[in-house]
């Protein structure tokens, strides 16, 4: 059976998750598959798992694109940074590696960019025309910037240096867990971080994603910002959905350029 749906695959620190995405609805077309991220998460080991995910959805048509997210900067199919993943990713030509292996069109993007695209198309920032920043609070802080619906890729604002410290090391949700901070204590750090973001970029809207966003009632009301700040809506589906959207867009672009 062929569904014609693009496949989105989200590579995270603990799990690699994928599903075909119905782009009309912004929903998974089938139940998501999750496989543990290998303990030593080198590109080769992760590619093996990605291939298993693709095999599982063997009805993915050969002309359906696959979008894959990576928690690092991805420029022209090459991974450039690896703050919270195995350093062997740096310099890896991941898009080419996966295309050769899977014999599919593959588009590899930064994880926060993908989550932002998901939220912009179908979630908390749906249809927003202004300057929107999505942040994901997890092991690190991922960011995605949009102006008039256009993504500025690889923004990496989780690494803003604040008081001599890489922001994500003090304000990611991993810092809350590591240092056993209460929500009010953590919110003080988020206040400093988001205030800096709004002072530098003057967004119209900030969307807060990442697993902890399900508890946003515990910390978002404690923040005092000029900018409207709201929780993400698609929860842990955003990356998969956004990756599928981006992959489809790039495939269409490539098609236009070759005809
Ligand atoms: C990485 C980003 C990534 C974010 C969330 C940061 O440490 O530098 O590329 O988007 O973590 O995974």
């Amino acid at each position: 059976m062929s569904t014609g749906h693009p496949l989105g695959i989200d590579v995270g620190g603990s799990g690699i998750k994928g599903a075909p995405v119905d782009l009309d609805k912004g929903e998974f077309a089938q139940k998501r598959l999750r496989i543990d991220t290998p303990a030593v998460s080198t590109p080769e080991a992760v590619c093996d798992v990605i291939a298993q995910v693709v095999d599982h959805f063997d009805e993915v048509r050969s002309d359906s694109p696959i979008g894959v997210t990576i928690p690092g900067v991805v420029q022209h199919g090459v991974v450039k940074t690896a703050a919270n993943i195995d350093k062997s990713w740096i310099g890896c030509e991941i898009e080419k590696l996966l295309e050769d292996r899977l014999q599919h069109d593959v588009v590899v993007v930064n994880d926060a960019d993908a989550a932002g695209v998901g939220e912009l198309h179908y979630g908390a920032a749906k249809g927003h025309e202004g300057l929107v920043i999505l942040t994901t609070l997890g092991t690190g802080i991922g960011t995605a910037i949009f102006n008039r619906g256009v993504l500025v890729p690889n923004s990496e604002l989780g690494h803003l240096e604040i008081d001599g410290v890489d922001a994500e090391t003090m304000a990611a949700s991993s810092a809350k867990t590591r240092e056993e901070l209460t929500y009010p204590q953590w919110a003080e750090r988020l206040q400093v971080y988001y205030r800096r973001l709004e002072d530098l970029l003057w967004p119209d809207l900030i969307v807060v994603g990442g697993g902890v966003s399900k508890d946003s009632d515990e910390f978002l009301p404690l923040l005092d910002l000029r900018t409207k700040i709201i929780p993400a809506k698609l929860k842990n589906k955003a990356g998969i959905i956004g990756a599928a959207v981006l992959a489809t867009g790039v495939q269409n672009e490539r098609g236009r350029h070759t005809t």
Side-chain angles (χ1 to χ4, degrees), residues 70-73 81 83-84 110-112 136 139-143 156 159 168:
I70 297 291
V73 169
T81 68
N84 294 305
N110 171 262
D111 57 356
T136 59
T139 308
I141 297 181
T143 59
E156 294 295 315
H159 297 293
E168 73 171 21

Side-chain angles (χ1 to χ4, degrees), residues 16 23 35 37 56 64 74 110 115 118 124 166 189 197 217 249:
I16 296 175
L23 295 183
I35 299 177
T37 305
H56 174 81
S64 297
V74 187
N110 171 262
D166 188 356
R189 297 183 181 192
L197 267 193
D217 285 353

